[in-house]
Amino acid sequence: MLDIRHLSHNYGSHWALKDCSFTLEKGGFLFLSGPSGAGKTTLLRLLHGALPLQRGQAQVAGFDLARLRSHDLPALRRHVSVVFQDFRILPARTAFANIALPLEVRGLDARASGRRVRAVARALGLEHRLDTPAGELSGGEQQRVAVARAIVVNPQVLLADEPTGNLDPDLSLRLMDVFMQFNAYGTTVVLATHNPELIRRNPAARLIHLDDGMITHANWPGARLSCRADACDLLEGP
Ligand SMILES: Nc1ncnc2c1ncn2[C@@H]1O[C@H](COP(=O)(O)OP(=O)(O)OP(=O)(O)O)[C@@H](O)[C@H]1O
Ligand SMILES: [Mg+2]
């Protein structure tokens, strides 16, 4: 489902990712860990086409990102859903409208759409907040709206950037259960987190640890540690 080879990415002279390679099978669950600034968001942004590929290759849900053109993005995004670190919900619209948006875009009729929105909202403990403008919700509620909007379409791949960052421990675990349920039904999940407790509770999941843009630890043979020599070469060249 994901095949990433020698991916590197720079912002000006700063290399935020250096020689990252891994493959993740369909239905896999991958944690991305690493300190602030390690490159987690950069990697997720590359995987859904929000940043253009500079070096290396990446196949995501059957799309070759090196060949991706802007008009291919809507097709990629139909298969790959994202929970952004900063939510990006529409504050003036209700929680319901925010969650229903991707179903509307896909042309689902209002009744079927309403059923799915309510089912996902129930799973995330949002059923009593659906009529509230999203801008009036707490940070944790907004975060759950962002998660609901991403999973309501039953994506092939779900990329989630610190989805539990604003949640208390109980809600974090509840959210993880929802991710695990979707994963059990076949959604491939990549979840960036600072929270070692979430990782500890899910020892069967794949894990990649990023440090200063490099893969410095992984717990399965499908990931390759970044080659320090290649990473150093990057720092020398433009
Ligand atoms: N748009 C940008 N322009 C320049 N530098 C950037 C940009 N975005 C990220 N960086 C830099 O790239 C590096 C990796 O950033 P990234 O956001 O991917 O880290 P992260 O692991 O997601 O961190 P956090 O845990 O704080 O979210 C950091 O040094 C950051 O300052
Ligand atoms: Mg980040």
Side-chain angles (χ1 to χ4, degrees):
M1 187 55 62
L2 301 180
D3 187 358
I4 309 305
R5 297 191 190 189
H6 304 292
L7 210 56
S8 298
H9 194 86
N10 66 307
Y11 298 105
S13 61
H14 177 66
W15 286 94
L17 275 186
K18 302 168 191 164
D19 186 38
C20 293
S21 300
F22 63 90
T23 57
L24 186 66
E25 68 284 1
K26 181 171 164 37
F29 193 110
L30 169 65
F31 282 115
L32 279 182
S33 71
S36 183
K40 304 180 295 295
T41 297
T42 302
L43 177 55
L44 292 178
R45 294 187 72 200
L46 285 167
L47 296 183
H48 67 97
L51 285 173
L53 230 59
Q54 294 172 339
R55 290 202 191 190
Q57 293 105 43
Q59 304 267 350
V60 176
F63 290 81
D64 179 351
L65 298 193
R67 292 165 184 269
L68 199 73
R69 298 289 169 263
S70 53
H71 61 261
D72 300 322
L73 274 178
L76 176 72
R77 303 268 167 83
R78 267 198 291 281
H79 300 293
V80 180
S81 280
V82 189
V83 182
F84 296 99
Q85 199 164 5
D86 55 0
F87 317 154
R88 300 197 200 166
I89 53 179
L90 304 171
R93 301 191 65 180
T94 62
F96 184 98
N98 270 277
I99 301 169
L101 197 62
L103 297 174
E104 227 172 78
V105 170
R106 285 164 173 77
L108 206 71
D109 73 72
R111 184 185 284 207
S113 168
R115 263 200 309 272
R116 280 171 72 170
V117 169
R118 278 187 290 276
V120 169
R122 233 183 344 267
L124 292 166
L126 280 173
E127 65 271 42
H128 304 303
R129 308 299 273 152
L130 283 175
D131 296 330
T132 308
E136 294 173 19
L137 298 173
S138 73
E141 288 168 339
Q142 292 187 13
Q143 192 155 31
R144 281 178 284 153
V145 169
V147 170
R149 183 185 55 188
I151 61 181
V152 76
V153 294
N154 220 347
Q156 281 189 44
V157 179
L158 177 69
L159 306 174
D161 201 351
E162 292 285 353
T164 62
N166 286 277
L167 304 181
D168 61 43
D170 280 354
L171 271 176
S172 296
L173 295 182
R174 183 161 172 185
L175 190 59
M176 277 306 294
D177 282 345
V178 173
F179 285 138
M180 288 296 180
Q181 257 172 45
F182 272 79
N183 180 241
Y185 283 108
T187 297
T188 305
V189 180
V190 182
L191 193 156
T193 182
H194 282 122
N195 187 341
E197 178 66 10
L198 291 187
I199 297 173
R200 204 183 55 73
R201 282 175 173 265
N202 296 284
R206 312 289 199 209
L207 170 67
I208 279 179
H209 185 80
L210 285 172
D211 203 349
D212 191 21
M214 290 189 280
I215 298 182
T216 56
H217 171 77
N219 69 351
W220 88 111
R224 187 180 143 279
L225 302 191
S226 296
C227 168
R228 285 191 179 271
D230 289 354
C232 290
D233 283 351
L234 290 175
L235 301 178
E236 283 164 18

